[in-house]
Amino acid sequence: MTFAIDETIPGFNVNTSADNEFVLQEVLNQVWPSAFFANGDLKPQMNTDLLTSAKVTSTNPETIVYQINPKAVWSDGTPINADDFIYNWQAQSGNSAYTDVGGKPYDDVSTTGYANIKSVTGSNNGDTVTVVFSTPFGDWQSLFGNIVPAHVAKTVGWNTGFNDYTKVISGGPFVISNYVKDQTVTETANPKWWGKKPVLDSLIFRILSDDSAGPPGMQNKEIQIFNPSAASLATKQALAQVPGITSQAPAGLEFEHMDFSQTDPYLAKVQVRQALAYAIDRQDLINRTVGQLSSTIKPIGDRMFMPTQPQYVDNGTAYEKPDLAKAKSLMQAAGMKLGTDGYFQPTSGPQAGKDLTFTLSTTSGQALRQSEEEVVQTDLQKLGVKVTIQNYTASQLFGTILPKGEYQLAIWAWVDTIFPSGNQPLYCSYTNSQACGSNYDHYANPQVDNLLNQAVATVDATQATNLYNQADKILWTDMVSLPFFQRPSQIAWVTNLANVVINTSNQGYTWNAQEWGYKAS
């Protein structure tokens, strides 16, 4: 069967900031093994093919003992053992004592949790792994996901060695057998797989640059599952014309947002960021985009938790409605002078004496996000700020532009994990580049760092939730990013495909693809 994905793939190590894409996670779910994964109920579930047990054996110090299935092997026949756990910890620990090939620092999407580990050791011929923490880590089940084959990575390198798909050997039901850049990723059954044989012979990921190509692809039977980049009424209506498919749009653990790059001298000023946020009518933006799909979608006020989660708190009430007068006052407080043409002009810096202009970027070929850009452009024009639109391919935006902070304003979505500790690398101070590799805004606040560090090290879930939401309140005050809405996760599949189970976490819909198969006619 063929699964349509909406972004190109810059590389295949999803654990790096350069390759950190939701669609790549969907590609790797059946290839690189994880100790635990998020199931359809959005609960952590132990991978019983990889492990026979994973237990907390001590709380002081916190100690986890993993028992690896002795049958577990990589697709080249090498046993999966403690060496893989040790290497994956070292590569993501943030410890400068460990380096990639050539002595380069490891590029990590996150060191959260791994940085809390004191030691990882193997015993019992490598089938037993003992992890001892130097400081507690409540979300320990989030660790050792997408385990990279140590014996390969030590040769080709963690950072870029897996840009070559042939190096991506498998420890799951499928192996990547072919990759045509910007077109398809083909997975076939792993001949070395020790677990229950997958039903499908092959799983093909077809890369679509435009959501509008999805419904025709299903109509022509070229695609069997379609998960568009953004849910929309147009897509819903187009899918309704395709016979023999099931279509849903559940609320996902993801949210749309606009970020401010603090590498820009003007956006580095909190008053400017606050002014832009006060000028944007988020409800109007929703009404013109996803609100056409569902009238229940409202602006969100929490970055850490989604409205469908019990931990959600609305911390963004100050920005519930636009306030143009307040926005203009903040611009003036930031040293901006309103020109006779109605646009603010900086009194210093690279745009001194000129109409203040920002570039707004998102992924190209996405009609819904282009509509969002137009709303932002119009709202900021009312404020007296010019906006030019410059969009990029997904590989450019997520592979280079965002990680290097080479943007001013940008719109995209974060897809949350079921573990709140996954928020730490997004908002901890960018100056800690290894631990905070996903802080594309170049934001830094020691108070937020302290709260997130406490939350990560708290084993009491209620206390941790309070700490995460305290950090979010500060993020609203500092206006690091402007959350728009919780995104519906639109999905369509051919009705005769069995065992498709909705999963709106960052695990993605292929979390159980080894169980997919066609119903008998």
Side-chain angles (χ1 to χ4, degrees):
M1 63 138 288
T2 298
F3 187 112
I5 58 177
D6 57 82
E7 294 175 355
T8 56
I9 297 171
F12 286 89
N13 187 355
V14 74
N15 301 301
T16 66
S17 64
D19 300 345
N20 180 30
E21 288 185 342
F22 171 62
V23 296
L24 180 57
Q25 181 62 61
E26 292 188 302
V27 169
L28 291 176
N29 277 334
Q30 301 298 316
V31 178
W32 276 353
S34 295
F36 285 81
F37 56 86
N39 62 22
D41 294 325
L42 301 183
K43 302 292 184 183
Q45 182 173 323
M46 189 181 79
N47 181 351
T48 54
D49 289 312
L50 176 68
L51 303 173
T52 58
S53 68
K55 298 178 180 178
V56 178
T57 60
S58 172
T59 56
N60 188 22
E62 183 178 6
T63 303
I64 317 296
V65 176
Y66 301 86
Q67 296 292 343
I68 301 175
N69 185 341
K71 297 180 181 178
V73 295
W74 295 104
S75 53
D76 65 357
T78 303
I80 300 175
N81 59 27
D83 289 344
D84 297 300
F85 281 71
I86 294 169
Y87 175 81
N88 279 262
W89 159 56
Q90 291 177 345
Q92 297 173 89
S93 68
N95 188 334
S96 59
Y98 306 118
T99 57
D100 199 12
V101 293
K104 297 179 180 178
Y106 285 111
D107 170 24
D108 298 321
V109 69
S110 171
T111 63
T112 297
Y114 294 103
N116 297 50
I117 294 175
K118 178 181 180 181
S119 65
V120 180
T121 55
S123 59
N124 188 28
N125 294 319
D127 288 339
T128 300
V129 180
T130 302
V131 177
V132 179
F133 289 83
S134 54
T135 55
F137 181 56
D139 285 344
W140 65 269
Q141 291 171 314
S142 68
L143 300 178
F144 301 106
N146 301 298
I147 296 173
V148 172
H151 66 289
V152 177
K154 289 177 181 178
T155 300
V156 303
W158 167 279
N159 292 349
T160 60
F162 297 100
N163 290 354
D164 178 357
Y165 82 93
T166 64
K167 306 301 181 185
V168 187
I169 65 171
S170 176
F174 288 89
V175 61
I176 298 177
S177 55
N178 192 40
Y179 170 54
V180 180
K181 183 175 173 58
D182 298 338
Q183 296 184 41
T184 57
V185 182
T186 301
E187 296 179 3
T188 50
N190 178 3
K192 294 289 187 179
W193 176 241
W194 61 92
K196 182 179 179 181
K197 183 180 178 181
V199 179
L200 295 172
D201 296 311
S202 64
L203 179 59
I204 301 170
F205 296 89
R206 177 168 295 175
I207 300 168
L208 300 181
S209 60
D210 192 327
D211 284 346
S212 64
M218 298 200 77
Q219 177 77 52
N220 298 333
K221 303 187 186 304
E222 298 170 351
I223 297 168
Q224 284 73 54
I225 293 189
F226 173 49
N227 179 206
S229 61
S232 69
L233 179 62
T235 300
K236 179 181 179 180
Q237 292 173 336
L239 289 171
Q241 304 302 312
V242 182
I245 68 168
T246 299
S247 180
Q248 297 184 19
L253 291 189
E254 59 181 309
F255 69 100
E256 194 86 346
H257 53 93
M258 186 177 79
D259 280 44
F260 311 92
S261 175
Q262 295 185 34
T263 61
D264 179 88
Y266 306 115
L267 293 173
K269 297 182 178 183
V270 65
Q271 299 100 322
V272 173
R273 300 195 300 273
Q274 291 171 340
L276 300 187
Y278 274 117
I280 295 172
D281 189 336
R282 294 187 294 159
Q283 187 60 59
D284 179 59
L285 181 146
I286 291 169
N287 293 343
R288 293 171 181 268
T289 54
V290 292
Q292 299 170 10
L293 186 67
S294 171
S295 60
T296 63
I297 301 174
K298 304 296 180 184
I300 63 169
D302 198 341
R303 299 168 182 80
M304 305 291 168
F305 305 101
M306 291 298 97
T308 48
Q309 295 178 286
Q311 305 98 319
Y312 175 83
V313 174
D314 189 351
N315 295 315
T317 53
Y319 294 90
E320 186 174 342
K321 295 181 179 179
D323 189 334
L324 206 56
K326 189 166 188 175
K328 289 184 177 181
S329 176
L330 285 164
M331 291 294 287
Q332 291 170 339
M336 303 289 175
K337 180 181 178 181
L338 192 62
T340 56
D341 62 354
Y343 289 99
F344 279 101
Q345 297 178 347
T347 54
S348 62
Q351 295 190 49
K354 302 176 182 178
D355 291 345
L356 182 62
T357 303
F358 292 124
T359 299
L360 174 60
S361 303
T362 191
T363 42
S364 55
Q366 297 188 10
L368 183 137
R369 283 191 174 151
Q370 289 171 1
S371 296
E372 292 174 19
E373 288 180 314
E374 291 168 3
V375 172
V376 170
Q377 187 179 45
T378 299
D379 285 350
L380 294 188
Q381 184 179 23
K382 294 175 184 176
L383 170 62
V385 175
K386 292 182 177 180
V387 172
T388 59
I389 293 173
Q390 173 62 65
N391 294 333
Y392 301 92
T393 65
S395 59
Q396 289 174 317
L397 186 68
F398 296 108
T400 304
I401 302 299
L402 294 179
K404 292 186 176 181
E406 296 175 346
Y407 71 100
Q408 291 176 311
L409 306 175
I411 295 174
W412 77 95
W414 284 125
V415 187
D416 291 342
T417 78
I418 59 173
F419 301 102
S421 59
N423 289 292
Q424 185 180 38
L426 310 185
Y427 306 111
C428 59
S429 293
Y430 82 98
T431 46
N432 185 353
S433 58
Q434 277 196 299
C436 311
S438 296
N439 180 350
Y440 300 151
D441 304 316
H442 283 220
Y443 168 71
N445 187 323
Q447 191 178 1
V448 171
D449 290 339
N450 183 48
L451 287 167
L452 292 177
N453 287 335
Q454 289 183 63
V456 166
T458 300
V459 295
D460 183 286
T462 301
Q463 292 179 14
T465 294
N466 183 47
L467 290 164
Y468 284 119
N469 278 318
Q470 285 183 51
D472 184 64
K473 287 181 180 179
I474 298 173
L475 296 175
W476 276 100
T477 300
D478 291 348
M479 191 41 66
V480 176
S481 60
L482 179 62
F484 287 161
F485 52 84
Q486 180 182 17
R487 282 166 52 108
S489 181
Q490 204 163 26
I491 180 76
W493 67 91
V494 291
T495 305
N496 69 329
L497 185 63
N499 298 327
V500 175
V501 178
I502 298 295
N503 190 324
T504 59
S505 75
N506 76 318
Q507 197 77 56
Y509 288 102
T510 60
W511 73 278
N512 72 329
Q514 78 279 11
E515 299 174 353
W516 293 352
Y518 292 104
K519 301 173 185 177
S521 57

